[in-house]
Amino acid sequence: GMNMADEYLNYIILLENTLASFYENIKEQEKYEGLKTLLEFMETHSFAHALQVEEYIKDKKKPELSQSVILDYQNNLTKKVIREISKKTDMKHILDELAASEEKLGDLYKKIAKHMLDLSEYYKDMAGVVENIAADEYQHRDILLRDKDKVK
């Protein structure tokens, strides 16, 4: 389904496609006849960015942590512990049960922490893609400004 990451990337896809359509429309107008080649270049590159991001979304899946993992812990573990310790009178056994439940909670938190690290890697990777597109936009700015010398 749609996650936060996809929202950012889908927004970029929308922006790039909108920009490409904008260039596509104005390049056909007589007023911009002299800039046609330049506008075509911009159009192509904007569509290419949109495509690049779409491909990225297809390739990279956002790491998921099933909520059931946490819910199972809540339901099963606490109920199990209560059931176990209520049956026992030996304090040594009860301490073993409580210790085991703390260990399982630790295991759960390790799993959550691992998931967070996976997510941060995922976002870091995505940020790299977005940074590259930003660099392209600055390059486009420079190309457009350089063309000022050629127009009257």
Side-chain angles (χ1 to χ4, degrees):
M2 271 278 270
N3 54 54
M4 213 35 216
D6 288 346
E7 281 174 36
Y8 290 124
L9 295 180
N10 281 317
Y11 187 57
I12 292 171
I13 291 169
L14 178 72
L15 284 174
E16 290 296 323
N17 280 324
T18 304
L19 192 60
S21 299
F22 165 75
Y23 283 126
E24 191 177 27
N25 289 330
I26 68 168
K27 78 170 187 210
E28 298 308 328
Q29 295 172 31
E30 210 175 305
K31 178 180 172 183
Y32 303 106
E33 191 60 51
L35 299 178
K36 191 161 184 160
T37 312
L38 182 63
L39 297 173
E40 252 161 20
F41 170 86
M42 292 296 164
E43 175 198 341
T44 307
H45 275 244
S46 300
F47 278 132
H49 280 164
L51 209 64
Q52 185 190 344
V53 176
E54 279 167 22
E55 288 303 309
Y56 179 85
I57 292 176
K58 268 191 231 124
D59 283 352
K60 286 268 176 188
K61 287 285 159 262
K62 184 177 179 187
E64 300 289 345
L65 178 72
S66 70
Q67 279 194 306
S68 65
V69 170
I70 294 168
L71 295 176
D72 284 351
Y73 179 88
Q74 242 180 335
N75 297 332
N76 303 338
L77 197 81
T78 44
K79 285 181 186 144
K80 179 179 176 285
V81 172
I82 290 167
R83 206 170 52 239
E84 289 298 321
I85 64 176
S86 63
K87 284 189 292 193
K88 293 195 165 111
T89 49
D90 180 351
M91 281 302 137
K92 284 187 172 57
H93 282 299
I94 289 174
L95 288 170
D96 280 341
E97 283 298 329
L98 294 174
S101 79
E102 288 295 328
E103 184 180 354
K104 287 202 173 77
L105 187 57
D107 292 344
L108 175 69
Y109 289 155
K110 291 281 274 197
K111 204 178 274 185
I112 292 171
K114 165 84 169 75
H115 175 66
M116 290 171 169
L117 285 172
D118 291 345
L119 273 180
S120 72
E121 277 303 308
Y122 172 76
Y123 279 109
K124 209 167 141 185
D125 192 63
M126 186 194 312
V129 170
V130 179
E131 284 278 356
N132 289 340
I133 292 177
D136 284 349
E137 301 305 345
Y138 292 129
Q139 207 182 352
H140 292 171
R141 172 201 61 199
D142 296 344
I143 291 168
L144 289 165
L145 291 173
R146 265 204 309 275
D147 260 58
K148 277 166 57 174
D149 299 334
K150 297 175 196 157
V151 294
K152 295 148 200 63

